[in-house]
Amino acid sequence: MAKGYSGSPKHHHRLEVKRNRLTWILGVSFLCILFYVLGAWQRSSTPTTTQFSAYNKGGCDSHVTTSDNGNAAVGHPSSTNLDFASHHQVVLNSSKTVNQFPSCDMSFKLLRCLIPAPPQYKTPFKWPQSRDYAWYSNIPHRELSIEKAIQNWIQLEGNRFRFPGGGTMFPRGADAYIDDIGRLIPLSDGTIRTAIDTGCGVASFGAYLLNRNILTMSFAPRDTHEAQVQFALERGVPAVIGIMGSQRLPYPARAFDLAHCSRCLIPWQKYDGLYLAEVDRILRPGGYWVLSGPPIHWKKFWRGWERTREDLKQEQDAIEDVAKSLCWKKVIEKNDLSVWQKPINHVECLRSKKLLKAPHMCESDDPDTAWYSHWCPSCSCFLLYTYSDIHIVHCGLIFLLSFVLKRYRNLEACVTPLPEVSSSDDVAGGAIEKWPERASAVPPRIRSGSTPGITAERFEKDNKLWKERVAHYKRIISPLPTGRYRNIMDMNAYFGGFAAAMLNYPVWVMNVVPINSNHDTLGVIYERGLIGTYQDWCEAFSTYPRTYDLIHASGLFTLYQNRCDITYILLEMDRILRPEGTVIFRDTVELLVKIQSITDGMRWKSQIMDHESGPFNPEKILVAVKTYWTGEATQKQL
């Protein structure tokens, strides 16, 4: 049997929380004072220099290789009639000195330099061909094609990789494996739209689920094989670098219709079922968990797994016990597949737990959040120093020193409570539409009023607005409908209106909700059948370099202009953007001029244009294209 909840009594727990909080406050206050003094001393004693002169001495190689590989031209903003300058009096000084960022050395990365693409980098294959092929020069790692050769994960054929769709647990291919699952649960009627694959390999499972209109967030908890997630993104399949450790995954509660593990090497039965409890948190009421591989059906397969029958039986029994403690129902076990289903509400679960005297329900105040953060709300702040998860900021009021304390939420070995219902037949949190109606229907979180300040009318107005804006984008970015852009990121997604308006194009969108937003809308985005994540844009995003074709940033820099140096955000955008990729900024003209002055030094080509409604709208659009250049090949690479 799974172990019961081993936490301390409530009053001891509260005392411990208060004691920990006081310790944090005292420690951070000391660091605030220390680094304020150091910062003041540095600012008074350091002579004025060119902005990046200190970094230009860091040994970065600024070698640039221009494109001669015949790559298809990107819809460059200079080819569009951008009439901003003719309508406005803002002076764009073309004679000013541009601070050029150096390229990073190929062997290491500096803070203020540009990460070069590998020598001979090529524009990726267009979707849907990219699902099956990727250029070797873009991801020059052949180890996986050797180690997993007999399992058909990936094969090297000349100057390109081919992805046959195989996997450790699906030697007949991902399509046949998904067909097997489809005989056990509904995969084709729109009930299941969002999925999470916790052990994705090169994400063939997620790639082939796209044929069934199921959008999968894939990650590799133990990325022991080089660049699995990078392979997935190069294929045009959603994926992130992720791990199931001690903190929550960056997704809201009740996000996914399906969770999947195919020999993903996560010890589900250990630590009082901690990891399975996290799957329970992010799984929608009535959602499914599919597990294949050891220890499932161990009586038949145990000889091939090089483990004893006793060991496998003990593991499966422990997993079954954890699932029962979460109030899941075992749907079926067939061959090497086993399926559980989460209840649609906790009416019976609470009744049984009260009867069994097993206080296993979590007491967390917000099941959606992945971390706590507390900012100085009344002053302008900039980042002074970062130490682990403590961020010290200096605020621009006289003698006022404040701090931001951000602590990631720890996993809890307990059942995340579902919203209350009036009947045992009701779906907790509200029923959602099947796909594709789900994309435009008012999400339950808005319909029920559980997202403060957000109304159905506001949601529908936002939908209409983004349809008009995306129609405008199509006119100014010609390759949008062609498959040239596949991986897209919306850095400030709000309701996901931009992503919903892009559904007719051969793209997928990573919807990002900044933790500093006024409203936590990521749960709304998932209820629309879209995917996304939380992010603090003062930090790096969890992905490899060159993994997005187009980045959309609407109002992001208004949100972050006083939180951290926007140069770092722009350098991070450059890191994750492919060569010849495009960025669309929407913001005030003052911010866009500042952004443009920085991106000019990042080898981007850009131009400011008027809002689609005309020159009198104070919001403007900056369209930028990252130019093609590569790092210099080392002797080993030659």
Side-chain angles (χ1 to χ4, degrees):
M1 293 294 289
K3 296 178 181 178
Y5 181 61
S6 58
S8 301
K10 287 185 178 179
H11 65 281
H12 291 297
H13 176 70
R14 288 170 182 161
L15 287 173
E16 182 66 22
V17 169
K18 289 181 179 178
R19 189 159 45 246
N20 289 342
R21 188 175 299 165
L22 180 60
T23 302
W24 275 101
I25 291 172
L26 291 174
V28 170
S29 298
F30 172 76
L31 289 172
C32 283
I33 296 169
L34 174 63
F35 289 108
Y36 176 75
V37 173
L38 288 175
W41 175 75
Q42 286 182 330
R43 289 175 66 85
S44 63
S45 61
T46 304
T48 303
T49 59
T50 303
Q51 184 177 5
F52 304 124
S53 61
Y55 299 96
N56 289 336
K57 299 176 183 178
C60 281
D61 179 10
S62 58
H63 174 82
V64 179
T65 304
T66 56
S67 175
D68 59 357
N69 63 353
N71 288 340
V74 180
H76 197 285
S78 63
S79 64
T80 309
N81 183 20
L82 308 179
D83 59 352
F84 166 80
S86 64
H87 292 288
H88 300 278
Q89 300 302 314
V90 176
V91 178
L92 303 179
N93 186 2
S94 59
S95 63
K96 68 181 184 301
T97 302
V98 174
N99 293 309
Q100 295 288 339
F101 291 87
S103 66
C104 300
D105 187 279
M106 292 293 287
S107 61
F108 61 91
K109 299 171 180 63
L110 293 180
L111 186 60
R112 285 183 181 251
C113 55
L114 307 175
I115 298 177
Q120 302 177 354
Y121 178 89
K122 297 181 180 181
T123 299
F125 291 94
K126 291 182 179 181
W127 184 266
Q129 192 180 13
S130 67
R131 187 194 71 176
D132 301 322
Y133 295 99
W135 296 114
Y136 171 76
S137 58
N138 291 7
I139 319 175
H141 303 293
R142 67 180 69 201
E143 296 83 1
L144 201 58
S145 64
I146 299 170
E147 185 174 345
K148 297 293 183 180
I150 61 172
Q151 296 174 10
N152 277 333
W153 281 29
I154 181 174
Q155 296 175 356
L156 180 60
E157 299 177 347
N159 64 348
R160 67 183 185 181
F161 289 111
R162 184 170 71 88
F163 302 91
T168 305
M169 292 308 303
F170 33 95
R172 295 179 294 126
D175 245 349
Y177 174 78
I178 292 169
D179 286 340
D180 291 341
I181 296 175
R183 296 184 186 97
L184 308 178
I185 59 176
L187 290 181
S188 58
D189 66 351
T191 300
I192 295 174
R193 164 61 181 174
T194 55
I196 184 167
D197 188 11
T198 58
C200 64
V202 293
S204 288
F205 180 72
Y208 282 86
L209 275 177
L210 289 168
N211 295 339
R212 294 161 170 82
N213 282 322
I214 296 175
L215 197 57
T216 306
M217 182 74 81
S218 298
F219 73 93
R222 293 176 61 183
D223 198 359
T224 54
H225 310 294
E226 188 137 32
Q228 292 179 78
V229 169
Q230 190 174 17
F231 279 120
L233 287 160
E234 193 72 12
R235 300 175 69 181
V237 179
V240 292
I241 302 170
I243 186 170
M244 295 198 77
S246 59
Q247 282 88 34
R248 283 182 177 178
L249 296 173
Y251 313 117
R254 313 192 309 275
F256 298 98
D257 304 308
L258 171 69
H260 172 259
C261 164
S262 172
R263 203 165 189 169
C264 60
L265 305 179
I266 297 175
W268 299 112
Q269 77 285 6
K270 293 186 178 180
Y271 314 114
D272 295 332
L274 193 68
Y275 301 136
L276 210 51
E278 175 66 356
V279 172
D280 177 75
R281 182 185 71 87
I282 63 177
L283 198 60
R284 197 180 306 285
Y288 298 94
W289 184 55
V290 177
L291 176 64
S292 68
I296 301 304
H297 212 158
W298 57 268
K299 292 180 181 178
K300 179 179 179 181
F301 299 111
W302 70 277
R303 289 184 179 86
W305 291 335
E306 299 180 354
R307 291 173 60 184
T308 66
R309 294 163 59 95
E310 293 74 18
D311 181 35
L312 290 163
K313 180 182 184 304
Q314 185 179 31
E315 181 179 343
Q316 179 153 358
D317 288 346
I319 290 174
E320 301 275 5
D321 288 341
V322 174
K324 287 178 183 177
S325 74
L326 295 169
C327 302
W328 291 4
K329 179 181 70 175
K330 181 75 169 287
V331 176
I332 194 171
E333 182 173 315
K334 186 175 182 180
N335 295 325
D336 54 2
L337 287 166
S338 193
V339 181
W340 286 263
Q341 186 175 22
K342 180 177 176 175
I344 62 172
N345 58 59
H346 277 161
V347 173
E348 293 298 327
C349 182
L350 289 170
R351 187 176 300 150
S352 64
K353 286 187 177 298
K354 185 176 181 180
L355 181 66
L356 297 173
K357 294 182 172 56
H360 230 56
M361 305 300 290
C362 301
E363 297 180 359
S364 174
D365 57 342
D366 188 351
D368 283 353
T369 57
W371 48 62
Y372 307 91
S373 70
H374 304 285
W375 284 92
C376 169
S378 60
C379 51
S380 175
C381 309
F382 62 88
L383 188 66
L384 259 181
Y385 184 77
T386 300
Y387 177 75
S388 184
D389 58 6
I390 308 172
H391 300 255
I392 310 300
V393 297
H394 170 232
C395 299
L397 297 181
I398 298 176
F399 302 120
L400 176 61
L401 192 65
S402 184
F403 65 89
V404 58
L405 172 63
K406 184 171 73 175
R407 296 182 62 188
Y408 291 89
R409 293 255 189 179
N410 289 332
L411 296 180
E412 298 177 79
C414 52
V415 181
T416 300
L418 289 172
E420 294 184 2
V421 294
S422 56
S423 167
S424 60
D425 296 325
D426 293 340
V427 178
I432 56 174
E433 301 286 342
K434 291 185 176 181
W435 184 262
E437 290 77 18
R438 189 188 299 188
S440 56
V442 178
R445 275 175 165 88
I446 295 178
R447 198 168 60 236
S448 65
S450 60
T451 306
I454 306 298
T455 63
E457 293 75 19
R458 188 171 175 180
F459 171 80
E460 290 169 348
K461 183 179 179 180
D462 186 77
N463 268 353
K464 181 180 178 182
L465 176 68
W466 281 108
K467 287 179 181 178
E468 295 170 354
R469 288 179 171 179
V470 168
H472 180 65
Y473 292 163
K474 182 181 176 182
R475 291 191 291 269
I476 64 175
I477 305 176
S478 56
L480 196 57
T482 67
R484 166 64 180 82
Y485 300 115
R486 173 62 181 170
N487 302 352
I488 297 181
M489 174 182 287
D490 190 355
M491 297 177 71
N492 189 18
Y494 197 38
F495 295 146
F498 168 73
M502 298 286 287
L503 287 171
N504 292 329
Y505 300 119
V507 304
W508 65 270
V509 180
M510 178 67 76
N511 294 282
V512 180
V513 173
I515 65 167
N516 317 104
S517 300
N518 292 328
H519 301 283
D520 180 359
T521 53
L522 192 56
V524 168
I525 288 170
Y526 273 95
E527 287 181 342
R528 302 187 69 175
L530 308 171
I531 60 172
T533 185
Y534 294 112
Q535 172 67 15
D536 181 351
W537 284 115
C538 293
E539 300 179 1
F541 188 78
S542 186
T543 191
Y544 284 88
R546 302 175 302 280
T547 48
Y548 285 87
D549 305 297
L550 188 148
I551 298 176
H552 184 257
S554 176
L556 180 79
F557 290 87
T558 292
L559 184 64
Y560 275 90
Q561 61 179 327
N562 295 321
R563 297 191 180 276
C564 57
D565 188 343
I566 67 169
T567 302
Y568 293 107
I569 302 177
L570 291 166
L571 286 170
E572 176 65 0
M573 293 170 73
D574 181 84
R575 183 185 74 87
I576 66 178
L577 186 65
R578 296 191 195 279
E580 298 181 326
T582 300
V583 180
I584 303 173
F585 299 91
R586 303 181 71 97
D587 232 305
T588 65
V589 64
E590 292 80 11
L591 270 174
L592 293 185
V593 169
K594 183 178 181 180
I595 289 168
Q596 190 178 41
S597 70
I598 299 171
T599 59
D600 284 348
M602 292 164 50
R603 309 176 192 180
W604 290 15
K605 302 298 182 183
S606 62
Q607 194 164 354
I608 298 176
M609 64 181 294
D610 280 317
H611 191 275
E612 59 269 4
S613 64
F616 299 107
N617 194 307
E619 182 180 75
K620 305 301 174 186
I621 300 172
L622 173 65
V623 181
V625 174
K626 178 179 175 178
T627 59
Y628 177 91
W629 61 279
T630 70
E632 184 176 12
T634 63
Q635 190 65 34
K636 181 179 179 180
Q637 290 168 323
L638 295 172

